Amino acid sequence: MPTSWVDMKVGRETMEGYLTQPEAAGRHPAIVVVQEIWGVNSHIQSVTDRLPSQGYVGLAPAMFHREGRMTLGLHEEMQTALAWMGKCTDANIVADVRAAVEYLKAQPSVLPGRIGIVGFCFGGRVSYLAACNVADLKASVVFYGGRILQPLGGSGPSPLEQTAKIASPVLGLFGAEDQNPTTADVAKIEAELKKHGKAHEFHMYPGCGHGFHCDGRASYRAEAARDAWAKTLAWFNQHLKG
C-alpha cells in the first residue's frame, strides 16, 4: 500500500495531506478523511491506511495548516487543540475540502466522479459543511460532528442552516451519551434533513460518548467502532462503487 505526504494549494497557502493508494493499477474511488481537533495524527493516518485494502484512495488533509506545517497535538492538549479550531472559519474549511477534492480529481489513480468524505469530531462537522458546499462529493459520513448548529469564524449561516444545499447522501454516526452533539442536537439535524428531503441514515450508539471510534482515547468503544466503520464502508460501497 503506497503512502506519502503530499502538498496541495489553497489559494496562496500550501496544505499538506496524508495520501494512501491501492497497489492495484487503474482508477479507484477516493475518500477525503477529515481529522479530529488534534490534526492528522496517528489515528487519522491509521483510518486512512484502511482504505486502499477496500479499493479506495484515501487523503487526509491537514486542516490546521495555517497554524504551521504538521500541526499536531496530543489528546491531553485539549485547550491547545480547541484554540486551533477556534481560529478556523467556515470559508477556509470549505476551501480546504475543495482543494483536497481537486487534488484527488487530478490524480491518475482516482475516478474523479466518485469521491466521498468522512470526518470525526471536528471533522464530522467539516463533512456536513462540505456536503452543503462541495458539489463534487458523492457521499458523506459524519462521525459525532459537534457544532453543526453553529457557524465557525463569523456570523454566517451554520452548517445546519445550509442543509437545503446538500447534494450527497449523508450517513450520521453518534453516541447516545455525547454532549456535543447531544441527542437533541442530532434530532434537530435529522429533522432538517427530513424537512428538505435529503437522503440520509442516522445511527445512535447506546453507552457511547464523543470519540467512540478513536482507539487512542478513553472514550473508545470497540464494538460500536467496528459496527460504525462497517456501516461507513457499506455507505461508500453503495454510493461510490454502486
Side-chain angles (χ1 to χ4, degrees):
M1 176 191 66
T3 67
S4 59
W5 285 93
V6 299
D7 286 339
M8 295 161 273
K9 296 302 292 183
V10 187
R12 297 182 179 179
E13 306 274 351
T14 299
M15 175 174 68
E16 67 270 30
Y18 181 71
L19 180 71
T20 63
Q21 304 182 71
E23 294 182 0
R27 290 182 177 266
H28 310 273
I31 298 171
V32 178
V33 180
V34 189
Q35 63 185 61
E36 297 178 307
I37 59 172
W38 295 279
V40 185
N41 58 11
S42 58
H43 172 62
I44 296 303
Q45 291 177 44
S46 72
V47 171
T48 313
D49 286 341
R50 300 178 188 182
L51 297 174
S53 66
Q54 303 299 317
Y56 295 100
V57 173
L59 176 63
M63 304 295 288
F64 294 162
H65 61 94
R66 294 172 183 83
E67 298 298 310
R69 290 186 69 82
M70 302 305 293
T71 295
L72 298 171
L74 301 174
H75 290 137
E76 293 78 13
E77 298 175 307
M78 178 67 76
Q79 295 308 310
T80 298
L82 287 173
W84 292 334
M85 182 186 71
K87 295 179 185 178
C88 292
T89 68
D90 284 341
N92 282 344
I93 288 169
V94 170
D96 288 348
V97 175
R98 284 181 175 152
V101 170
E102 288 302 316
Y103 180 89
L104 286 169
K105 286 168 60 180
Q107 301 310 300
S109 60
V110 172
L111 287 164
R114 305 239 177 148
I115 299 174
I117 188 169
V118 59
F120 303 84
C121 181
F122 163 78
R125 182 187 184 279
V126 171
S127 185
Y128 195 95
L129 179 66
C132 300
N133 290 280
V134 183
D136 288 317
L137 293 170
K138 303 305 180 187
S140 303
V141 179
V142 175
F143 272 84
Y144 34 82
R147 305 192 187 196
I148 289 174
L149 280 65
Q150 296 88 33
L152 272 182
S155 57
S158 68
L160 181 70
E161 292 170 319
Q162 300 178 58
T163 298
K165 299 191 295 179
I166 287 178
S168 59
V170 177
L171 174 66
L173 304 158
F174 305 96
E177 306 303 320
D178 202 340
Q179 297 305 303
N180 182 29
T182 63
T183 54
D185 292 337
V186 174
K188 289 178 183 178
I189 297 167
E190 185 163 31
E192 195 71 7
L193 287 163
K194 289 180 178 178
K195 171 183 163 183
H196 293 286
K198 301 301 179 180
H200 70 284
E201 184 178 303
F202 275 18
H203 297 275
M204 187 70 68
Y205 289 90
C208 293
H210 200 74
F212 68 80
H213 185 263
C214 180
D215 58 6
R217 300 171 64 180
S219 54
Y220 177 60
R221 298 294 182 268
E223 184 176 351
R226 285 192 296 269
D227 184 82
W229 186 248
K231 284 181 169 59
T232 297
L233 290 178
W235 193 253
F236 286 135
N237 290 341
Q238 177 183 353
H239 297 290
L240 300 183
K241 293 182 178 180

